[in-house]
Amino acid sequence: NAGVTQTPKFRILKIGQSMTLQCTQDMNHNYMYWYRQDPGMGLKLIYYSVGAGITDKGEVPNGYNVSRSTTEDFPLRLELAAPSQTSVYFCASRQRTGGRIGALEKLFFGSGTQLSVL
Amino acid sequence: AQKVTQAQTEISVVEKEDVTLDCVYETRDTTYYLFWYKQPPSGELVFLIRRNSFDEQNEISGRYSWNFQKSTSSFNFTITASQVVDSAVYFCALSEANTGNQFYFGTGTSLTVIP
């Protein structure tokens, strides 16, 4: 049972470079999220998706792009990396059903990607 | 407005002491879910508990207990007889059943258990 898989685990970028953080889930969840966690801080939502083809901005979307072409995959693209994007990135998924049926749902997290922009 | 507030940024206790981590939430939804996640020094996020708004029973799991009080919009987490392995950052979170698609996290409480 793989759950939520993120790659790579670590990456160092130079300022101005671009890269894509991969996220795949094998639980057929409809909702997927990208969070960033700066040192000593909480989780901030970057983007989320409620299903294939649908994405929406979170709290800190600037400098990032996402796509959701399939239920399984939710890649996060960094264009023109900046030192302010140095952070740990977490992908997460859940099956949102709402109401009392949703009482069993929870958020499943990947193991994180540690990104440094130098 | 912050939907989930964890006012305690850092707490230090000596091993075997009891410690309570506070969580206050805000929602207008009539059905919602509350969560606690643990983030140990290794960095992964570990699910601890989910509490549904329509189930007000408190829960105990070993040394962990959770006190859900709708009247004060609080969902506090107590560790009894703390151990060094409890040292971690603990996050409280809120999900609303009928409104919104986001999963709201508090800013976390860093717990250090001193041997």
Side-chain angles (χ1 to χ4, degrees):
Chain A
N1 233 0
V4 180
T5 303
Q6 287 183 239
T7 56
K9 291 192 184 300
F10 304 94
R11 184 72 186 267
I12 298 174
L13 285 181
K14 293 183 179 179
I15 295 172
Q17 285 186 320
S18 301
M19 78 161 293
T20 298
L21 280 64
Q22 302 292 344
C23 177
T24 299
Q25 52 93 6
D26 62 358
M27 298 171 282
N28 202 33
H29 285 170
N30 51 3
Y31 281 48
M32 295 187 75
Y33 302 83
W34 274 106
Y35 291 91
R36 61 176 285 174
Q37 185 179 27
D38 298 332
M41 305 291 284
L43 297 163
K44 293 187 177 180
L45 182 64
I46 305 171
Y47 271 95
Y48 67 98
S49 169
V50 303
I54 306 169
T55 62
D56 209 346
K57 295 178 181 179
E59 184 184 0
V60 289
N62 291 342
Y64 306 94
N65 278 303
V66 293
S67 60
R68 184 98 182 269
S69 56
T70 66
T71 299
E72 296 78 19
D73 300 311
F74 190 41
L76 177 71
R77 176 90 178 155
L78 278 71
E79 307 281 2
L80 299 174
S84 61
Q85 293 178 305
T86 294
S87 191
V88 178
Y89 292 83
F90 288 98
C91 179
S93 74
R94 65 169 171 155
Q95 182 60 32
R96 177 172 166 81
T97 51
R100 297 208 167 198
I101 298 175
L104 299 178
E105 66 167 78
K106 68 179 182 182
L107 202 59
F108 292 78
F109 282 94
S111 56
T113 296
Q114 190 167 322
L115 176 68
S116 296
V117 182
L118 305 175
Chain B
Q2 193 75 11
K3 281 199 175 263
V4 179
T5 301
Q6 293 180 256
Q8 303 151 308
T9 306
E10 297 181 358
I11 301 176
S12 292
V13 298
V14 177
E15 200 170 21
K16 297 184 184 176
E17 285 185 345
D18 299 347
V19 59
T20 295
L21 310 182
D22 297 332
C23 174
V24 174
Y25 62 92
E26 179 185 330
T27 181
R28 293 184 178 182
D29 206 335
T30 54
T31 302
Y32 52 91
Y33 320 115
L34 297 162
F35 302 79
W36 277 95
Y37 281 83
K38 175 182 180 181
Q39 187 177 40
S42 52
E44 75 271 21
L45 285 146
V46 179
F47 168 79
L48 294 178
I49 191 171
R50 172 189 48 248
R51 171 57 62 219
N52 309 321
S53 59
F54 46 85
D55 177 5
E56 294 193 57
Q57 266 191 319
N58 288 319
E59 185 157 338
I60 298 174
S61 175
R63 295 184 298 106
Y64 295 171
S65 62
W66 290 270
N67 183 9
F68 176 39
Q69 300 253 350
K70 256 187 173 178
S71 58
T72 56
S73 297
S74 64
F75 184 44
N76 296 338
F77 173 30
T78 297
I79 302 174
T80 303
S82 59
Q83 299 176 1
V84 172
V85 292
D86 296 327
S87 295
V89 179
Y90 291 86
F91 291 98
C92 181
L94 164 73
S95 171
E96 295 163 318
N98 301 310
T99 58
N101 298 312
Q102 297 190 25
F103 213 88
Y104 301 95
F105 282 87
T107 51
T109 297
S110 178
L111 174 65
T112 301
V113 181
I114 303 165

